Structures are given as C-alpha cells and as structure tokens.
Amino acid sequence: MTATETATPPPAEAPSSPARPRRTNWFAAFWRWHFYGSLIVIPVLFCLAVTGMTYMFRDEVDSLTHPGVLKVSAPDGAERAALSAQEAAVRAAFPDRPILSVQDGTDDRSTLFVAGLGDGGSTNIYVNPYTSTVTGELRQDQLVSTWAERIHGDLLIGEDGVGDRIVELGASWAIVLTITGFIIFFLGRRARNGAQAKGKRGARLRGWHALVGLPVGLGILLLVISGLPWTGFWGAKAQQVAVQGGSGLWGEDPGAESTIRQQIEDTDGQSAPAGWAAGNAPQGTSTGAGTPISIDRAVTAAQTQGAPGPYLIMYPEGDKGVFSVMSSQWYNVGNPAESDVSKERTIHVDQYSGDVVGQYGYADYSAAAKVVSQGIALHEGRRLGTLNTVLSTFFCLAVIFMCVTGPMMWWTRRRTASGLAAPRAKLPVWGNWTLLGAMVVLGVFLPLFGLSLLIVLALDQFLIRRLPALRSFFGTV
C-alpha cells in the first residue's frame, strides 16, 4: 500500500493594517520653535530692555553722571530768565559758535543750547535759567542716554544698517517667540503643575518663567509692533506703501522748510521721525531783510497761537529760514505733549517780522501718523504719565528676568546631554494648511522674519537632515 503525501498549502498572510499617521506632539513642536527662536531673541531683547530702561530715565541718568550741569538748584519763587538773556550768556562764552537750537525746560532743568562746531558737528551748552550762567558743555557722545539710544537702535553696528537689521530681525522673531510661548503655556499647564507638586529639579523656575511670560508676552507684542516704524527696513517699506496710498506714517508739515528734518538731526543727535519730518508740503519762508527778531518774540508768537511750552526752538537757517517753535513729545523737557501727543504743535515764525508763516498740529496728521505717534509715546513710557513709566519699568525688568531664566532652564534640563539638547519634535509646516498660512502671513508682514524662515527651512531640509552629526547636534527628528 502506497501512501501519497499531500502538500499542505502555506497559511495565508494576514491582511496588513494600514499604517497610522504619526500624531503630532504639538507641545514639543512649539516648544522646539520657542527654543530655537530664543537663540535669536534673547540677546536682542536683553539689550533692548536694558537700554530702553536707561533711555526712559535719561534725565536722571545724565544728571547723575554730570552733576551740576544738566540740573541746577531752583530758588524758591524764582522765575526762569528770558531765553534772550540766556542766549546772550552763550554767545559771550562761545562767540565763534553759531547757535542752532534751544531746548527750554521747567523747574531745576538747565536750558540746553546746541551750537555748531567748525568740523560740522555740534555741542550741547547748558545754562542755569535763573542766573543766565553757563553750567557746562558736553558733546552728544558724552551722555549715557546717547549710547543707550544708539545701542537700542543698531547695537552700535551702524555700517550699512547691519545693526538695525539685527534688531529688527530679533524683534520679528520675538513675535514668534511670544506666540509659541502662549501656546506652550496653555498646553503645558498640567505637566508644569505636576512637576512642581513632585518637587522636580527646575520645576519652580519653569513655573515662574511661564507665569511671568504670560503678561510679558502681551507687552512684547505691543512694544515690538509700536517700535517697528523706527526700523530701517520695515519702517521704510511701510512708509513707502503709505505714501503711495496718499497718506504717510508721519504726517506732513505745512510750512516747514525742506531742510528741517536734517537740521533737527544735526542739532540734537536724534533721528527718530516725527510729524515734522516730512517737508514735502508748501514751504514757509521768511521775507524781507534786516535785523532778525529776538528768540523771545518767536516764543511769544507760539504762545499767541496756543502752543503749550516749554519749547524746542530751531533757529533760522539762512536768510529765508524761519524760527520753528515746537511743542513736541520727543525731548523730555516737561511739555504736556510728552504724555498727550494730541497737544503737539509746531509754529513757524518769520525771522524778520515775527509773523506766523506756517503751523500744524496733531489734528493735521494722517490717521496712520496719529496711531504711530500714540504708539511711540506708549513705547517710550510716556503716554499715561507716571503710571506708564512704572509699568514700563516693571516690564523691562520682567523681560530681563525672562532672558536670564530661559538659559537657566535649558542648563538645568540639559545636564549631560549632547548637542543643543533641543526639544525633539517636528512642526508639520507643510502638512497643516492653517499653520502654513499663518507663517506665510507673518512672513509677508515681517519680511526679515520671512526671509530668515526660508533660510532656516532650507538649511534644515538640505543640510542638517542629511548629515548625521548635525541631526544629532540639533536634535532633528
């Protein structure tokens, strides 16, 4: 009997289940962007906070570093002498120097005359307004506030606008840092609370960083946006767009001679634009000839028009120039316009007749110029008076706290890890239309951020992900 073996068919393969898409760890993804954004933002924000607070208290800082020059003892009941008497003291002490401008003040503040130098520069000459005696002479770069302003504007890297671009780039990424900070604040609440309850290392610092960061983030958004009109790239482009639309960020001055902006920059060392910066409107000029009027008559003309003092007064430039008497928010002299920019007024006075040949005020600004002016006053801690100053001070201190605690948290978390020890996650930029759209909008609104983002994404895609050493160092997944 022959047995026939029957081949047993192999078992059928079980149908493979479709691969599930990997879920995005949104907390880690936004934390990763927050981490890498901080590498750009922290150095810039730290500098801006320190220099901004210094500039906000420039009157106190400069007076402290130059005692007896910028401030004097104000006798009880005494009145400040006429500007013409103080001017005479300057001309007697420096007969070979033309006076370019005078900045009056209140109470114990010295009157500031700016005089020209032979090399094309200028110098500050301070006068005791009660005795009409010169208290001292300082170049602009001898003031701490000048250095604070320059660092705040361009980090002292003025060549070809490089420093300004770095500040603008850091400010742009600060918006991203703030948005991602808000997201991880709410997504990470349970984890933070749990870590603090268990007493984990660094949990308390992490909790304080998150708690302080919530209101600070709102302040950063406000200050960064209000500071953008000053930037060389965004501000210039926004002004160009506004002008093409028949408006402008800074308004127009119906009556200023075309050189007034450069004249002001040459005489006070500041270059921040303001309503008087646009000299494209009909020009106000002096007519006639003869002996120019006194500075006191120019002041009287401005007072007659209702412009509040004390004033910044630009002296006439050339035979056709005018006295430009300004109630301005910019000069920290006690003018009401410093806290209420709607009181800004500029009166142009004929240097021979004393007649008003042009004037404008806040009401003449474009809508965009009004918004910018209000934002700048808030940015500099002046809009709400003392309250604004106090809040701005606490804000600057809080920003410094955030800039210090961020690296401290990273060091605590890093321990012995290799590389940057960045959070390991991937933000699905290309797979989420909402996220992609938001980044495109932000990149268009902030061109330097958009350009840097394209560079970052290109480096990540074509370099970092292809080299294992870089993948490991940057924690790329």
Side-chain angles (χ1 to χ4, degrees):
M1 182 175 175
T2 305
T4 305
E5 295 183 1
T6 305
T8 305
E13 293 185 2
S16 60
S17 58
R20 295 183 179 179
R22 184 177 180 180
R23 294 184 59 185
T24 300
N25 184 342
W26 290 105
F27 174 79
F30 283 111
W31 184 15
R32 180 177 176 83
W33 277 83
H34 190 79
F35 172 83
Y36 278 113
S38 69
L39 300 181
I40 301 173
V41 173
I42 284 179
V44 175
L45 273 192
F46 185 85
C47 285
L48 294 182
V50 173
T51 56
M53 188 163 55
T54 302
Y55 189 72
M56 185 167 58
F57 291 103
R58 57 192 177 276
D59 187 48
E60 293 79 8
V61 172
D62 289 337
S63 299
L64 183 64
T65 52
H66 299 283
V69 178
L70 282 74
K71 287 193 174 183
V72 299
S73 298
D76 294 336
E79 294 185 0
R80 297 171 73 93
L83 286 178
S84 57
Q86 301 179 57
E87 176 193 278
V90 175
R91 294 193 187 281
F94 305 95
D96 58 337
R97 297 182 185 178
I99 296 178
L100 306 177
S101 70
V102 57
Q103 180 178 302
D104 201 1
T106 58
D107 302 327
D108 61 349
R109 302 179 189 218
S110 298
T111 305
L112 167 60
F113 287 84
V114 178
L117 297 175
D119 60 2
S122 63
T123 183
N124 296 345
I125 301 172
Y126 299 89
V127 178
N128 186 321
Y130 301 101
T131 63
S132 295
T133 56
V134 174
T135 62
E137 175 191 3
L138 296 171
R139 293 290 293 261
Q140 198 71 29
D141 59 7
Q142 291 179 271
L143 299 173
V144 174
S145 62
T146 298
W147 290 102
E149 182 189 15
R150 291 175 180 173
I151 295 172
H152 198 81
D154 62 13
L155 305 177
L156 298 182
I157 313 173
E159 294 83 359
D160 300 321
V162 173
D164 177 86
R165 301 298 186 271
I166 293 175
V167 171
E168 184 174 345
L169 180 63
S172 301
W173 273 92
I175 296 177
V176 177
L177 204 69
T178 299
I179 295 173
T180 56
F182 287 155
I183 294 173
I184 62 180
F185 174 87
F186 290 105
L187 292 180
R189 283 181 300 173
R190 181 176 299 178
R192 285 195 307 275
N193 293 337
Q196 291 186 53
K198 296 178 181 179
K200 289 187 176 180
R201 183 184 181 188
R204 185 181 298 275
L205 184 62
R206 182 181 175 189
W208 276 109
H209 184 88
L211 188 63
V212 173
L214 192 62
V216 166
L218 295 174
I220 288 175
L221 289 178
L222 175 64
L223 289 189
V224 166
I225 292 174
S226 64
L228 282 175
W230 274 321
T231 57
F233 187 83
W234 192 97
K237 295 300 181 184
Q239 170 70 353
Q240 182 180 357
V241 171
V243 169
Q244 290 173 351
S247 180
L249 296 183
W250 306 116
E252 292 183 345
D253 177 358
E257 59 181 19
S258 59
T259 59
I260 191 170
R261 176 176 181 176
Q262 189 61 46
Q263 191 179 353
I264 291 174
E265 293 181 8
D266 289 343
T267 57
D268 77 348
Q270 299 188 32
S271 58
W276 37 257
N280 301 322
Q283 298 177 7
T285 59
S286 293
T287 59
T291 303
I293 62 174
S294 70
I295 189 74
D296 298 333
R297 281 192 62 184
V299 168
T300 300
Q303 292 172 337
T304 301
Q305 298 299 317
Y311 305 113
L312 167 70
I313 306 168
M314 308 301 300
Y315 279 67
E317 183 181 31
D319 295 336
K320 298 297 183 181
V322 295
F323 283 100
S324 295
V325 187
M326 303 180 181
S327 298
S328 174
Q329 66 164 301
W330 298 94
Y331 298 99
N332 194 35
V333 294
N335 192 287
E338 290 175 2
S339 58
D340 185 358
V341 298
S342 65
K343 295 182 178 179
E344 282 194 310
R345 293 285 301 280
T346 295
I347 311 296
H348 301 296
V349 182
D350 188 301
Q351 65 171 304
Y352 303 110
S353 66
D355 294 335
V356 174
V357 294
Q359 61 177 300
Y360 77 100
Y362 180 82
D364 301 305
Y365 291 4
S366 66
K370 290 179 179 178
V371 172
V372 169
S373 293
Q374 295 285 356
I376 289 173
L378 193 64
H379 184 101
E380 290 197 344
R382 295 181 278 100
R383 181 62 185 89
L384 305 176
T386 302
L387 176 61
N388 201 166
T389 303
V390 172
L391 292 177
S392 296
T393 301
F394 278 111
F395 170 77
C396 289
L397 294 174
V399 170
I400 294 172
F401 172 82
M402 297 294 289
C403 291
V404 172
T405 56
M408 289 175 62
M409 290 190 303
W410 168 78
W411 186 256
T412 300
R413 182 176 59 84
R414 184 178 185 273
R415 296 186 182 181
T416 59
S418 60
L420 287 178
R424 295 179 62 83
K426 182 179 181 180
L427 191 64
V429 176
W430 310 115
N432 187 298
W433 288 105
T434 302
L435 183 61
L436 180 61
M439 298 184 77
V440 169
V441 170
L442 198 59
V444 171
F445 178 71
L446 301 170
L448 285 186
F449 162 74
L451 178 61
S452 65
L453 180 62
L454 290 176
I455 293 174
V456 168
L457 293 176
L459 288 175
D460 178 70
Q461 189 69 32
F462 299 111
L463 181 63
I464 295 175
R465 292 184 177 276
R466 302 191 178 199
L467 299 176
L470 291 180
R471 286 178 61 96
S472 175
F473 180 79
F474 287 100
T476 303
V477 294

